[in-house]
Amino acid sequence: MFSSVGYLASTAELDAALRSFARHLTPGGVAVVEPWWSPDTFLPGYVAGDVVDVDGRTISRVSHTVRHDEGCASRMEVHYVVAEPDSGIQHFTDTHVMTLFTCEEYEHAFRAAGLSVEFVPYDQAGPGLFVGVRGADR
């Protein structure tokens, strides 16, 4: 779900989300969360971009991300340009504010929900995964 947990605004919301995940698991069930960046791994001023051509349509995406909310969140502004032979060029903008939870905050949320937790880093660039397993004693 591409780091959608980052849209949660507080640790209380993170805790509630993990409790909800755990309620939907049977013993031995697994919850996997791909976090957004943490305060330690976030790169302020990060710029990314892509261009694709599909069926005569060209789409470009460029983003710029900065710290927001006293450093506890990130603000990513994304610009899209879509060019099509029949309709010309259109420009769209999207803004994403996402919380920079710490590793300890994720681990606390998993454990408070009754899940074991393990962090699995990616081999390539990326935020990694938190994997939780519901115990049998719930």
Side-chain angles (χ1 to χ4, degrees), residues 9-133:
S10 67
T11 54
E13 287 185 7
L14 179 63
D15 291 348
L18 267 295
R19 282 193 309 271
S20 180
F21 291 178
R23 280 194 306 272
H24 289 84
L25 296 175
T26 58
V30 177
V32 178
V33 172
E34 181 183 37
W36 183 235
W37 301 103
S38 70
D40 296 338
T41 61
F42 178 73
L43 299 174
Y46 185 76
V47 173
D50 293 297
V51 176
V52 295
D53 294 298
V54 178
D55 298 330
R57 175 186 296 156
T58 300
I59 303 169
S60 68
R61 175 191 182 275
V62 177
S63 65
H64 178 248
T65 309
V66 296
R67 284 199 186 268
H68 180 74
D69 194 23
E70 300 178 17
C72 299
S74 64
R75 182 180 184 277
M76 179 171 49
E77 187 172 314
V78 185
H79 290 253
Y80 301 91
V81 176
V82 180
E84 299 177 281
D86 295 337
S87 59
I89 298 174
Q90 297 179 6
H91 177 243
F92 306 93
T93 303
D94 202 7
T95 301
H96 302 268
V97 175
M98 300 175 77
T99 303
L100 299 170
F101 294 114
T102 66
C103 183
E104 293 78 18
E105 289 168 330
Y106 282 108
E107 290 173 348
H108 174 269
F110 273 86
R111 289 189 181 108
L115 303 171
S116 66
V117 61
E118 177 184 355
F119 178 72
V120 180
Y122 287 154
D123 290 337
Q124 303 296 319
L129 296 172
F130 284 97
V131 179
V133 178

